[in-house]
Amino acid sequence: MDTSWLADNWAQIRRRVDAACREAGRDPADVDILPVSKTFGPELIRAGVALGMHRFGENKVQEIRDKSAPLADCGIDWVMIGHLQTNKAKDVARLVSEVQSLDRLELAEALDRRLQHEGRAIDVLVQVKTSSEPSKYGLPPEQLASFLNALRGYDTLRVRGLMTLAIHSSEPTKVRACFRLLRELRDRAVAQGHDLTKLSMGMSGDFPLAIAEGASEVRIGTAIFGSRPHPDSYYWPESPGEA
């Protein structure tokens, strides 16, 4: 299958991220891109691996489970970015290298139990709710300090930073305020002795604003892979994805 469009999209998004870094006075080497492959099938992910992608973000544990077997030879690091139920901890502990949506102690306990059973440790980010939208998940900002202190008791969970989803708005000032809040919360936590180097924030539609506010990683899906297919089926785009 022709994957030239994917290579073009990948090159273009890398150029756009680099340009956003330069505009913000930042070194492009300080901002990583996490390709978000949710709803796209193994063939397309394999094509991404051939282009140099090795970490892929997914929203559902079921998709990671379905895709990991046919892609076992690719050395992929699966990153869970979607809301996570505690009953999925077993599969996460077995298959995932990083969870970016840790938002409650019950989930931390479930992951720790399963990871101890697997003899593994994984990186985690605490998801913080920085907007008032009911559809958004995340820990309330005022609970972050106590939550981070509680996480010190779980050796299997390496807390690396924070993650957020910004408000869905056409007003840049409102979107940017969400990213600014996450950075300020991170800086406050660092001052309190927590080693948090990672800020995962920004997606295809708002990543320049996130970079301007200090993102260390942006989660990019449609700008790399194109418009998403129906959620119940995997898809290989027959035409160039939107960038």
Side-chain angles (χ1 to χ4, degrees), residues 36-48:
V36 177
S37 51
K38 64 178 184 178
T39 73
F40 293 105
E43 297 88 353
L44 190 58
I45 296 173
R46 186 177 290 275

Side-chain angles (χ1 to χ4, degrees), residues 20-232:
C21 289
R22 289 192 293 271
E23 178 69 21
R26 300 184 58 196
D27 184 347
D30 292 338
V31 179
D32 295 324
I33 300 171
L34 176 64
V36 177
S37 51
K38 64 178 184 178
T39 73
F40 293 105
E43 297 88 353
L44 190 58
I45 296 173
R46 186 177 290 275
V49 172
L51 293 172
M53 307 176 205
H54 70 278
R55 298 172 68 249
F56 291 87
E58 291 282 348
N59 269 42
K60 296 181 179 180
V61 179
Q62 177 67 46
E63 284 201 48
I64 295 176
R65 190 164 62 231
D66 291 348
K67 297 172 185 179
S68 60
L71 294 168
D73 61 313
C74 291
I76 290 172
D77 288 330
W78 297 105
V79 180
M80 183 65 189
I81 62 173
H83 183 65
L84 185 56
Q85 301 291 340
T86 55
N87 63 1
K88 303 296 184 182
K90 180 178 180 180
D91 287 327
V92 170
R94 184 170 55 89
L95 299 170
V96 171
S97 63
E98 180 177 271
V99 170
Q100 295 198 355
S101 51
L102 183 60
D103 61 357
R104 58 201 189 281
L105 201 57
E106 177 189 22
L107 177 58
E109 292 171 348
L111 288 171
D112 180 65
R113 279 196 305 272
R114 297 309 311 186
L115 286 163
Q116 287 189 45
H117 180 75
E118 295 288 335
R120 299 182 65 218
I122 63 172
D123 292 345
V124 297
L125 306 186
V126 176
Q127 182 173 356
V128 181
K129 185 177 172 67
T130 57
S131 80
S132 59
E133 291 174 300
S135 61
K136 296 290 196 302
Y137 291 101
L139 188 78
E142 64 272 15
Q143 296 179 19
L144 179 61
S146 59
F147 187 62
L148 288 172
N149 287 333
L151 289 179
R152 293 183 187 272
Y154 300 100
D155 293 338
T156 64
L157 305 177
R158 300 183 296 247
V159 184
R160 302 303 195 197
L162 308 178
M163 183 270 259
T164 199
L165 296 165
I167 188 172
H168 182 69
S169 173
S170 59
E171 299 182 40
T173 54
K174 292 183 177 180
V175 176
R176 189 161 177 168
C178 295
F179 299 141
R180 184 181 305 115
L181 174 58
L182 194 73
R183 173 173 51 81
E184 291 171 347
L185 290 168
R186 189 277 311 274
D187 292 347
R188 201 174 306 158
V190 169
Q192 294 169 348
H194 296 283
D195 184 16
L196 305 179
T197 59
K198 196 166 182 178
L199 286 180
S200 175
M201 55 189 194
M203 300 186 292
S204 292
D206 59 17
F207 70 83
L209 300 176
I211 288 173
E213 289 296 340
S216 66
E217 179 172 88
V218 292
R219 307 182 301 274
I220 307 296
T222 57
I224 297 173
F225 298 110
S227 299
R228 299 204 179 280
H230 188 278
D232 294 330

